[in-house]
Amino acid sequence: MKFVVISPRTVLTLALCGAVAASLVGVAQPAWAQQALVPAQSEITFITKQMGVPVDGKFTQFDAQVAFDPKAPETAKIAFTIDMASATLGIPETDAELGKPDWFDSTKHPKATFRSTAIKPLGSGRYEVTGDLEIKAQRRAVTVPVMITQAAGNTTAAGSFSIKRLDYRIGEGDWKDTSMVADPVQIKFKLVLSGVPAM
């Protein structure tokens, strides 16, 4: 067995490097590690029209990662993932169709994702979030107005925006007929987060 002799100076240098690394880790991690979605109080819903009649649906399984500093909102990072198999219109027979290839094709494309690319503060708790929304391997840039409020130690980010379902290959084949199912779909969300600093 070979022993290596380490001088006191080397030990001190290693200790200082370790302390610096630990302090950097402590600073870099909290934004993501301490801010967490509160699923029971959060929701993502959608509204489409079938033959002119509004139809409400929702996703029951989703997750979000947020790094938001109210004092430096431009540096925020927002990402969320939706389990497409969790989509429901409240009718079991219709829900079974949603997972098929013409619609969400949730076996081949199980997740939809959103990742922010820019955040613009507008004042009074209002923000404009730009990012990439990907559904069924189709990625489009979207701009989302968001209202942020705080109460009882939690932060709520709420808003709505519209997409065109055909941009994401949702409703293919005979379902491309927009006189049956409208092309625009409104998406609404309320994401309740813990661990966000006070505004």
Side-chain angles (χ1 to χ4, degrees):
M1 181 179 293
K2 216 172 175 185
F3 292 92
V4 178
V5 177
I6 302 177
S7 70
R9 181 185 295 272
T10 303
V11 171
L12 180 60
T13 301
L14 290 173
L16 287 173
C17 288
V20 170
S23 68
L24 289 175
V25 168
V27 169
Q29 285 185 346
W32 288 97
Q34 294 182 5
Q35 297 182 21
L37 182 72
V38 182
Q41 299 177 39
S42 302
E43 60 183 17
I44 298 178
T45 63
F46 57 91
I47 303 172
T48 183
K49 286 187 177 180
Q50 294 184 10
M51 299 184 69
V53 179
V55 177
D56 294 339
K58 65 180 179 179
F59 296 99
T60 60
Q61 299 292 325
F62 50 89
D63 194 15
Q65 288 183 309
V66 178
F68 178 65
D69 180 355
K71 293 183 174 58
E74 303 87 353
T75 66
K77 298 292 182 183
I78 300 168
F80 63 79
T81 302
I82 300 173
D83 183 347
M84 299 305 284
S86 75
T88 178
L89 297 173
I91 305 170
E93 296 82 1
T94 304
D95 292 351
E97 295 295 317
L98 291 178
K100 294 183 176 180
D102 280 354
W103 292 99
F104 292 147
D105 199 4
S106 55
T107 299
K108 188 176 179 181
H109 304 287
K111 305 291 184 183
T113 61
F114 173 84
R115 285 180 172 80
S116 65
T117 54
I119 297 176
K120 179 181 178 182
L122 302 177
S124 301
R126 297 178 301 114
Y127 298 84
E128 188 176 81
V129 180
T130 301
D132 294 325
L133 177 64
E134 184 171 328
I135 307 173
K136 289 183 74 174
Q138 307 302 305
R139 184 182 299 174
R140 299 285 187 275
V142 296
T143 298
V144 183
V146 179
M147 183 71 185
I148 295 181
T149 57
Q150 293 183 319
N154 285 335
T155 298
T156 300
S160 67
F161 62 102
S162 292
I163 63 171
K164 293 184 176 181
R165 66 177 179 87
L166 295 179
D167 284 349
Y168 297 92
R169 297 173 43 225
I170 299 172
E172 299 189 274
D174 293 340
W175 297 108
K176 286 185 177 179
D177 181 359
T178 56
S179 68
M180 293 289 291
V181 180
D183 195 13
V185 178
Q186 185 180 28
I187 299 173
K188 295 183 177 182
F189 60 91
K190 181 182 75 172
L191 303 177
V192 179
L193 304 160
S194 63
V196 177
M199 297 176 68

